[in-house]
Amino acid sequence: MKRGILHLGKYVLLLLFLLCFGYILSVSSKIGGYQAPVIYYMDGASFSADTVNSMREEAESGEEISWTAVRTLESQSFSNETLHREATGTLLLLDGNSSNLVAASAELMADDRTGCILSTEAAWELFGETEISGGEIICNQMSYEVRCVYEDSEVVILLSAESYSAETDAAGDLSSNDLSELSDGSGRTGAADAEEAEFDKIVAVPGASLNDAQRSEAIETFETKYPVGEDKTDCMIYQRLSSAFVLLIPALVLICVIFSGAAKLIKNRRKIIQGIIGCAVLAVLIALYFILFQIRPSIPADLIPNTWSDFDFWKDKLAGFAVSIRHLLYADKSEIELKFFQPLVRMSAAAGIGVILFILTLLGFRADEGKAIADLRGLMISLICTCITEFIVLFLLHRWGISPDESRMLIYLWPYFLVSRYAIKLMCP
């Protein structure tokens, strides 16, 4: 009875462990699916509407980076007069395309004077649902038509900076801190007698078709051409951290296999023939690991200097990395960073829990090791039970709406571990 409970308990632990790992894979897929922008934080007067206009005039067709200037207004009031609903939240004024900030079914263009985009939370507050394209809201006493809704847990509404400044000026409500505008014949905002508003940040999105080296070169060209400054966060760091969390548990599996094999070889170091066979088996197991999980160790191209003695390159990279980490940890997060940061935090928590569950699962299998994989029959029984457990895991993940793209890693992880332990036991009897 006790042995049966122990045997069942270890598969319950395996179930929980694989559920946690499946969630990590799913979140990583979500983060990896975003285009990673570079966010430049501006210091007020150095980035006014005039500066934005100058940048747009200098822009050339075919540039590899699309960018949007953003101004953030907190604690703004919005209303839906038809349903008599009101909400208070963040208003984002954009000079550029909204697709650089949020993923939605439609885009808000820079010259769209009558449209807006709502977050899902804003949609619920103002309409009580999210299927609201074509609905109307009131902001600053002016009416705007909802173009689409994007996913966000905060009340956020996106407007064209040009539309907001023009309508505000027409309504006579322009304050000294609001965006001012005079028509200059180009369709873009220009300087006015009132004090110009200042944009908070520039969100620059490199083309999706660029590889790491081309992306790095495009960003360098963008920074050289435009006065965006050095205070920035490259959101590629979020994707690289998520990849590190994904590989954490598989790396622990590989470490356990290598250490177990090395310990076995050291114990039988005086047996030359068996030692050679053991080394070959261990090499095959390591090669099988990289083949099964399709892991190709490499250094990102943008982290490789032209010459290894280019110490200024390493200094700049380290400084940029430090700034990104500082912003990641301490800076107030806007909707742009939050779509990376929030899932990354959840993933880091899941990774910590996953490591604990991996250790407990490992101890559970070791406690029942005598009969579990001591022979081929025991190994086959363990593999069958593991496959059943994995089927349950995949079913539960699907029911919960979690679909990890890297399901290969989830399916092969524990069977690989069991087979490796069995092979290590046999390689040096």
Side-chain angles (χ1 to χ4, degrees):
M1 182 66 177
K2 181 179 178 181
R3 183 172 181 78
I5 294 175
L6 180 63
H7 195 67
L8 177 63
K10 70 180 185 180
Y11 285 104
V12 172
L13 286 172
L14 178 61
L15 175 71
L16 296 175
F17 164 65
L18 292 179
L19 283 173
C20 188
F21 187 48
Y23 176 77
I24 292 171
L25 293 175
S26 176
V27 175
S28 176
S29 299
K30 181 178 180 180
I31 294 177
Y34 295 140
Q35 281 188 290
V38 182
I39 304 172
Y40 298 92
Y41 304 93
M42 312 316 299
D43 57 353
S46 65
F47 211 75
S48 63
D50 272 346
T51 306
V52 173
N53 291 336
S54 298
M55 291 174 64
R56 293 294 182 196
E57 291 171 359
E58 293 178 25
E60 302 173 2
S61 60
E63 283 191 347
E64 295 175 318
I65 287 185
S66 172
W67 58 272
T68 298
V70 183
R71 181 185 176 209
T72 305
L73 299 177
E74 303 287 352
S75 302
Q76 299 295 299
S77 297
F78 315 104
S79 63
N80 180 342
E81 293 188 348
T82 303
L83 299 178
H84 305 290
R85 287 173 174 260
E86 296 183 351
T88 300
T90 301
L91 176 62
L92 298 183
L93 303 180
L94 312 182
D95 187 298
N97 197 324
S98 66
S99 63
N100 292 330
L101 276 76
V102 299
S105 58
E107 298 175 359
L108 184 69
M109 308 305 290
D111 58 354
D112 187 345
R113 290 175 174 251
T114 60
C116 65
I117 292 180
L118 273 61
S119 67
T120 48
E121 184 63 23
W124 280 109
E125 291 279 345
L126 293 171
F127 292 88
E129 59 177 320
T130 56
E131 300 295 329
I132 57 171
S133 295
E136 290 189 352
I137 68 165
I138 302 298
C139 175
N140 195 38
Q141 301 180 352
M142 301 304 299
S143 177
Y144 296 92
E145 181 179 335
V146 179
R147 302 292 184 226
C148 62
V149 174
Y150 77 97
E151 185 177 353
D152 195 330
S153 59
E154 302 293 332
V155 175
V156 181
I157 294 181
L158 282 63
L159 293 178
S160 162
E162 182 174 336
S163 107
Y164 183 82
S165 61
E167 301 295 355
T168 303
D169 196 16
D173 294 329
L174 186 64
S175 69
S176 61
N177 290 323
D178 283 330
L179 188 65
S180 59
E181 183 254 349
L182 290 175
S183 175
D184 60 1
S186 64
R188 303 206 55 78
T189 57
D193 293 335
E195 180 184 351
E196 290 188 353
E198 297 156 357
F199 289 91
D200 307 315
K201 58 176 71 71
I202 285 283
V203 181
V205 181
S209 61
L210 303 180
N211 59 35
D212 286 346
Q214 292 170 334
R215 181 181 185 276
S216 181
E217 183 178 351
I219 292 172
E220 184 177 349
T221 301
F222 181 80
E223 293 173 352
T224 302
K225 183 175 183 179
Y226 301 118
V228 291
E230 298 180 354
D231 189 12
K232 65 180 181 180
T233 294
D234 188 344
C235 289
M236 182 65 75
I237 191 173
Y238 291 97
Q239 295 182 336
R240 287 174 175 166
L241 287 174
S242 72
S243 298
F245 284 129
V246 165
L247 294 177
L248 177 60
I249 291 174
L252 289 177
V253 169
L254 180 61
I255 290 171
C256 288
V257 169
I258 292 175
F259 271 74
S260 298
K264 195 77 170 179
L265 291 173
I266 292 173
K267 183 178 179 180
N268 297 273
R269 60 186 178 277
R270 298 184 185 279
K271 302 176 181 179
I272 306 300
I273 302 299
Q274 291 182 353
I276 294 174
I277 295 174
C279 288
V281 170
L282 188 58
V284 170
L285 290 175
I286 295 173
L288 183 62
Y289 172 90
F290 289 101
I291 293 172
L292 281 178
F293 302 129
Q294 297 183 347
I295 297 175
R296 297 175 178 83
S298 62
I299 301 175
D302 61 320
L303 297 182
I304 302 176
N306 294 327
T307 60
W308 291 100
S309 59
D310 186 358
F311 298 110
D312 287 337
F313 174 89
W314 296 110
K315 180 181 178 181
D316 293 341
K317 282 295 180 183
L318 288 174
F321 181 77
V323 169
S324 295
I325 290 293
R326 187 166 61 251
H327 281 300
L328 188 153
L329 294 175
Y330 303 115
D332 292 336
K333 307 296 186 299
S334 69
E335 71 298 328
I336 310 162
E337 296 97 328
L338 284 176
K339 77 176 183 180
F340 289 95
F341 183 77
Q342 290 177 336
L344 186 67
V345 170
R346 294 194 294 267
M347 176 186 276
S348 63
I353 295 171
V355 170
I356 295 173
L357 288 172
F358 170 75
I359 295 172
L360 293 176
T361 305
L362 180 62
L363 294 175
F365 272 79
R366 281 184 176 175
D368 199 35
E369 191 176 56
K371 296 295 183 181
I373 58 170
D375 52 33
L376 186 58
R377 179 175 173 274
L379 174 65
M380 295 305 298
I381 293 174
S382 292
L383 288 175
I384 291 172
C385 292
T386 297
C387 289
I388 294 173
T389 304
E390 290 176 338
F391 175 79
I392 297 173
V393 167
L394 292 173
F395 173 77
L396 290 175
L397 290 175
H398 178 72
R399 286 293 300 271
W400 295 337
I402 302 174
S403 302
D405 289 345
E406 296 293 336
S407 55
R408 158 193 294 267
M409 195 173 289
L410 177 67
I411 293 171
Y412 292 145
L413 184 66
W414 205 253
Y416 167 82
F417 186 58
L418 293 177
V419 171
S420 297
R421 290 174 62 196
Y422 180 73
I424 290 171
K425 282 180 174 295
L426 293 181
M427 73 182 190
C428 296

Short mmCIF file of all heavy atoms in Angstrom, two decimals, residues 206-243:
data_model
loop_
_atom_site.label_atom_id
_atom_site.label_comp_id
_atom_site.label_asym_id
_atom_site.label_seq_id
_atom_site.Cartn_x
_atom_site.Cartn_y
_atom_site.Cartn_z
N PRO A 206 12.16 47.76 -35.32
CA PRO A 206 12.89 47.27 -36.50
C PRO A 206 12.03 46.32 -37.31
O PRO A 206 11.12 45.67 -36.77
CB PRO A 206 14.10 46.55 -35.88
CG PRO A 206 14.21 47.10 -34.49
CD PRO A 206 12.81 47.40 -34.07
N GLY A 207 12.30 46.22 -38.59
CA GLY A 207 11.55 45.32 -39.46
C GLY A 207 11.62 43.88 -39.01
O GLY A 207 12.67 43.41 -38.54
N ALA A 208 10.52 43.16 -39.15
CA ALA A 208 10.46 41.77 -38.69
C ALA A 208 11.38 40.85 -39.48
O ALA A 208 11.77 39.79 -39.00
CB ALA A 208 9.02 41.26 -38.77
N SER A 209 11.73 41.25 -40.70
CA SER A 209 12.56 40.39 -41.55
C SER A 209 14.05 40.51 -41.26
O SER A 209 14.86 39.76 -41.81
CB SER A 209 12.30 40.73 -43.02
OG SER A 209 12.67 42.08 -43.29
N LEU A 210 14.44 41.44 -40.39
CA LEU A 210 15.86 41.66 -40.10
C LEU A 210 16.39 40.58 -39.16
O LEU A 210 15.72 40.21 -38.19
CB LEU A 210 16.08 43.03 -39.46
CG LEU A 210 15.59 44.25 -40.26
CD1 LEU A 210 15.88 45.53 -39.47
CD2 LEU A 210 16.26 44.31 -41.61
N ASN A 211 17.60 40.10 -39.46
CA ASN A 211 18.25 39.20 -38.50
C ASN A 211 18.93 40.04 -37.41
O ASN A 211 18.87 41.28 -37.44
CB ASN A 211 19.25 38.27 -39.20
CG ASN A 211 20.35 39.04 -39.94
OD1 ASN A 211 20.79 40.10 -39.50
ND2 ASN A 211 20.79 38.50 -41.07
N ASP A 212 19.57 39.37 -36.45
CA ASP A 212 20.13 40.10 -35.31
C ASP A 212 21.15 41.15 -35.74
O ASP A 212 21.15 42.28 -35.24
CB ASP A 212 20.78 39.11 -34.33
CG ASP A 212 19.74 38.33 -33.55
OD1 ASP A 212 18.57 38.73 -33.58
OD2 ASP A 212 20.11 37.31 -32.92
N ALA A 213 22.02 40.79 -36.67
CA ALA A 213 23.06 41.72 -37.11
C ALA A 213 22.45 42.91 -37.86
O ALA A 213 22.84 44.06 -37.63
CB ALA A 213 24.07 40.99 -38.00
N GLN A 214 21.50 42.64 -38.74
CA GLN A 214 20.85 43.71 -39.49
C GLN A 214 20.04 44.61 -38.56
O GLN A 214 20.00 45.82 -38.74
CB GLN A 214 19.95 43.11 -40.57
CG GLN A 214 20.70 42.40 -41.68
CD GLN A 214 19.76 41.61 -42.59
OE1 GLN A 214 18.69 41.19 -42.17
NE2 GLN A 214 20.19 41.38 -43.82
N ARG A 215 19.39 43.99 -37.58
CA ARG A 215 18.61 44.77 -36.61
C ARG A 215 19.51 45.71 -35.83
O ARG A 215 19.19 46.89 -35.64
CB ARG A 215 17.89 43.81 -35.65
CG ARG A 215 17.03 44.49 -34.60
CD ARG A 215 16.39 43.44 -33.69
NE ARG A 215 15.47 44.05 -32.75
CZ ARG A 215 15.82 44.59 -31.60
NH1 ARG A 215 17.09 44.60 -31.24
NH2 ARG A 215 14.91 45.14 -30.80
N SER A 216 20.65 45.20 -35.38
CA SER A 216 21.59 46.02 -34.62
C SER A 216 22.11 47.18 -35.47
O SER A 216 22.21 48.32 -34.99
CB SER A 216 22.76 45.15 -34.14
OG SER A 216 23.67 45.90 -33.38
N GLU A 217 22.38 46.91 -36.73
CA GLU A 217 22.88 47.95 -37.64
C GLU A 217 21.79 49.00 -37.90
O GLU A 217 22.08 50.21 -37.93
CB GLU A 217 23.32 47.31 -38.96
CG GLU A 217 23.91 48.30 -39.95
CD GLU A 217 24.37 47.65 -41.23
OE1 GLU A 217 24.39 46.39 -41.28
OE2 GLU A 217 24.70 48.37 -42.18
N ALA A 218 20.54 48.55 -38.06
CA ALA A 218 19.44 49.49 -38.30
C ALA A 218 19.21 50.40 -37.10
O ALA A 218 18.97 51.60 -37.25
CB ALA A 218 18.16 48.71 -38.62
N ILE A 219 19.31 49.84 -35.90
CA ILE A 219 19.15 50.64 -34.69
C ILE A 219 20.26 51.66 -34.57
O ILE A 219 20.02 52.83 -34.23
CB ILE A 219 19.11 49.73 -33.44
CG1 ILE A 219 17.84 48.89 -33.44
CG2 ILE A 219 19.21 50.55 -32.16
CD1 ILE A 219 17.81 47.83 -32.37
N GLU A 220 21.49 51.26 -34.85
CA GLU A 220 22.62 52.18 -34.79
C GLU A 220 22.44 53.32 -35.79
O GLU A 220 22.72 54.49 -35.47
CB GLU A 220 23.91 51.42 -35.07
CG GLU A 220 25.16 52.26 -34.94
CD GLU A 220 26.44 51.46 -35.16
OE1 GLU A 220 26.36 50.22 -35.20
OE2 GLU A 220 27.51 52.09 -35.29
N THR A 221 21.98 52.99 -37.00
CA THR A 221 21.73 54.03 -38.02
C THR A 221 20.64 54.99 -37.56
O THR A 221 20.75 56.21 -37.72
CB THR A 221 21.31 53.37 -39.34
OG1 THR A 221 22.34 52.48 -39.77
CG2 THR A 221 21.04 54.42 -40.41
N PHE A 222 19.58 54.45 -36.97
CA PHE A 222 18.47 55.27 -36.47
C PHE A 222 18.95 56.23 -35.39
O PHE A 222 18.60 57.42 -35.39
CB PHE A 222 17.37 54.34 -35.93
CG PHE A 222 16.17 55.06 -35.40
CD1 PHE A 222 15.20 55.54 -36.26
CD2 PHE A 222 16.00 55.26 -34.03
CE1 PHE A 222 14.07 56.20 -35.78
CE2 PHE A 222 14.89 55.91 -33.54
CZ PHE A 222 13.92 56.39 -34.43
N GLU A 223 19.77 55.74 -34.47
CA GLU A 223 20.26 56.58 -33.37
C GLU A 223 21.23 57.65 -33.86
O GLU A 223 21.33 58.73 -33.27
CB GLU A 223 20.93 55.70 -32.32
CG GLU A 223 19.96 54.78 -31.61
CD GLU A 223 20.65 53.80 -30.68
OE1 GLU A 223 21.90 53.73 -30.70
OE2 GLU A 223 19.95 53.09 -29.93
N THR A 224 21.95 57.35 -34.94
CA THR A 224 22.87 58.33 -35.50
C THR A 224 22.11 59.43 -36.26
O THR A 224 22.48 60.60 -36.20
CB THR A 224 23.86 57.63 -36.46
OG1 THR A 224 24.57 56.61 -35.75
CG2 THR A 224 24.83 58.63 -37.06
N LYS A 225 21.03 59.04 -36.91
CA LYS A 225 20.30 59.97 -37.76
C LYS A 225 19.40 60.90 -36.96
O LYS A 225 19.27 62.09 -37.28
CB LYS A 225 19.46 59.18 -38.78
CG LYS A 225 18.71 60.06 -39.77
CD LYS A 225 18.02 59.21 -40.82
CE LYS A 225 17.32 60.08 -41.85
NZ LYS A 225 16.66 59.28 -42.90
N TYR A 226 18.78 60.38 -35.90
CA TYR A 226 17.79 61.16 -35.16
C TYR A 226 18.24 61.42 -33.73
O TYR A 226 18.95 60.60 -33.13
CB TYR A 226 16.44 60.43 -35.14
CG TYR A 226 15.88 60.15 -36.50
CD1 TYR A 226 15.68 58.84 -36.94
CD2 TYR A 226 15.54 61.19 -37.37
CE1 TYR A 226 15.15 58.58 -38.20
CE2 TYR A 226 15.01 60.94 -38.62
CZ TYR A 226 14.82 59.63 -39.03
OH TYR A 226 14.31 59.38 -40.28
N PRO A 227 17.82 62.54 -33.13
CA PRO A 227 18.27 62.90 -31.77
C PRO A 227 17.45 62.20 -30.68
O PRO A 227 16.74 62.82 -29.90
CB PRO A 227 18.01 64.42 -31.74
CG PRO A 227 16.82 64.61 -32.62
CD PRO A 227 16.96 63.59 -33.73
N VAL A 228 17.58 60.88 -30.62
CA VAL A 228 16.76 60.11 -29.68
C VAL A 228 17.45 59.88 -28.34
O VAL A 228 16.82 59.41 -27.39
CB VAL A 228 16.34 58.76 -30.29
CG1 VAL A 228 15.37 58.97 -31.43
CG2 VAL A 228 17.56 57.98 -30.77
N GLY A 229 18.73 60.17 -28.24
CA GLY A 229 19.42 60.02 -26.96
C GLY A 229 19.81 58.58 -26.66
O GLY A 229 19.55 57.66 -27.43
N GLU A 230 20.42 58.38 -25.49
CA GLU A 230 20.96 57.08 -25.12
C GLU A 230 20.16 56.39 -24.03
O GLU A 230 20.44 55.25 -23.68
CB GLU A 230 22.41 57.24 -24.65
CG GLU A 230 23.35 57.78 -25.71
CD GLU A 230 24.78 57.92 -25.21
OE1 GLU A 230 24.99 57.69 -24.00
OE2 GLU A 230 25.67 58.23 -26.02
N ASP A 231 19.16 57.07 -23.48
CA ASP A 231 18.35 56.47 -22.41
C ASP A 231 17.27 55.61 -23.07
O ASP A 231 16.25 56.13 -23.54
CB ASP A 231 17.72 57.57 -21.55
CG ASP A 231 17.06 57.01 -20.30
OD1 ASP A 231 17.29 55.83 -20.00
OD2 ASP A 231 16.32 57.76 -19.64
N LYS A 232 17.47 54.31 -23.09
CA LYS A 232 16.59 53.45 -23.87
C LYS A 232 16.48 52.06 -23.23
O LYS A 232 17.28 51.68 -22.38
CB LYS A 232 17.12 53.29 -25.30
CG LYS A 232 18.46 52.57 -25.36
CD LYS A 232 18.97 52.43 -26.78
CE LYS A 232 20.31 51.68 -26.80
NZ LYS A 232 20.84 51.53 -28.15
N THR A 233 15.47 51.33 -23.66
CA THR A 233 15.32 49.92 -23.33
C THR A 233 15.07 49.16 -24.62
O THR A 233 14.11 49.46 -25.34
CB THR A 233 14.13 49.68 -22.38
OG1 THR A 233 14.41 50.30 -21.13
CG2 THR A 233 13.92 48.19 -22.15
N ASP A 234 15.95 48.22 -24.91
CA ASP A 234 15.74 47.34 -26.05
C ASP A 234 14.92 46.15 -25.57
O ASP A 234 15.40 45.35 -24.76
CB ASP A 234 17.08 46.88 -26.62
CG ASP A 234 16.93 46.12 -27.94
OD1 ASP A 234 15.79 45.70 -28.24
OD2 ASP A 234 17.94 45.94 -28.65
N CYS A 235 13.70 46.03 -26.03
CA CYS A 235 12.79 44.98 -25.54
C CYS A 235 13.23 43.58 -25.97
O CYS A 235 12.60 42.59 -25.55
CB CYS A 235 11.37 45.25 -26.00
SG CYS A 235 10.62 46.66 -25.15
N MET A 236 14.29 43.50 -26.77
CA MET A 236 14.86 42.20 -27.07
C MET A 236 15.32 41.50 -25.80
O MET A 236 15.34 40.27 -25.72
CB MET A 236 16.04 42.36 -28.04
CG MET A 236 16.69 41.06 -28.47
SD MET A 236 15.60 40.00 -29.44
CE MET A 236 15.64 40.88 -31.00
N ILE A 237 15.66 42.28 -24.77
CA ILE A 237 16.11 41.69 -23.52
C ILE A 237 15.00 40.85 -22.88
O ILE A 237 15.27 39.82 -22.25
CB ILE A 237 16.59 42.79 -22.54
CG1 ILE A 237 17.31 42.15 -21.35
CG2 ILE A 237 15.43 43.65 -22.06
CD1 ILE A 237 17.95 43.15 -20.43
N TYR A 238 13.74 41.25 -23.05
CA TYR A 238 12.64 40.46 -22.52
C TYR A 238 12.57 39.10 -23.21
O TYR A 238 12.34 38.07 -22.57
CB TYR A 238 11.31 41.20 -22.71
CG TYR A 238 11.16 42.44 -21.88
CD1 TYR A 238 11.43 43.70 -22.40
CD2 TYR A 238 10.71 42.37 -20.56
CE1 TYR A 238 11.26 44.85 -21.64
CE2 TYR A 238 10.55 43.50 -19.79
CZ TYR A 238 10.83 44.74 -20.34
OH TYR A 238 10.66 45.87 -19.58
N GLN A 239 12.75 39.10 -24.52
CA GLN A 239 12.67 37.85 -25.26
C GLN A 239 13.84 36.94 -24.92
O GLN A 239 13.68 35.72 -24.83
CB GLN A 239 12.63 38.14 -26.76
CG GLN A 239 11.37 38.89 -27.18
CD GLN A 239 11.29 39.13 -28.67
OE1 GLN A 239 12.30 39.18 -29.37
NE2 GLN A 239 10.08 39.32 -29.18
N ARG A 240 15.00 37.54 -24.71
CA ARG A 240 16.15 36.70 -24.35
C ARG A 240 16.03 36.14 -22.94
O ARG A 240 16.42 34.99 -22.68
CB ARG A 240 17.44 37.51 -24.51
CG ARG A 240 17.80 37.73 -25.98
CD ARG A 240 18.97 38.64 -26.20
NE ARG A 240 19.31 38.68 -27.62
CZ ARG A 240 20.11 39.58 -28.18
NH1 ARG A 240 20.65 40.53 -27.42
NH2 ARG A 240 20.36 39.53 -29.46
N LEU A 241 15.47 36.92 -22.04
CA LEU A 241 15.23 36.41 -20.69
C LEU A 241 14.18 35.31 -20.70
O LEU A 241 14.30 34.31 -19.98
CB LEU A 241 14.79 37.54 -19.76
CG LEU A 241 15.88 38.54 -19.35
CD1 LEU A 241 15.26 39.70 -18.55
CD2 LEU A 241 16.95 37.86 -18.51
N SER A 242 13.15 35.46 -21.51
CA SER A 242 12.13 34.41 -21.59
C SER A 242 12.72 33.12 -22.16
O SER A 242 12.38 32.02 -21.71
CB SER A 242 10.94 34.87 -22.44
OG SER A 242 11.27 34.93 -23.81
N SER A 243 13.61 33.25 -23.13
CA SER A 243 14.29 32.06 -23.68
C SER A 243 15.15 31.38 -22.62
O SER A 243 15.21 30.15 -22.56
CB SER A 243 15.15 32.44 -24.89
OG SER A 243 14.36 32.98 -25.93
#
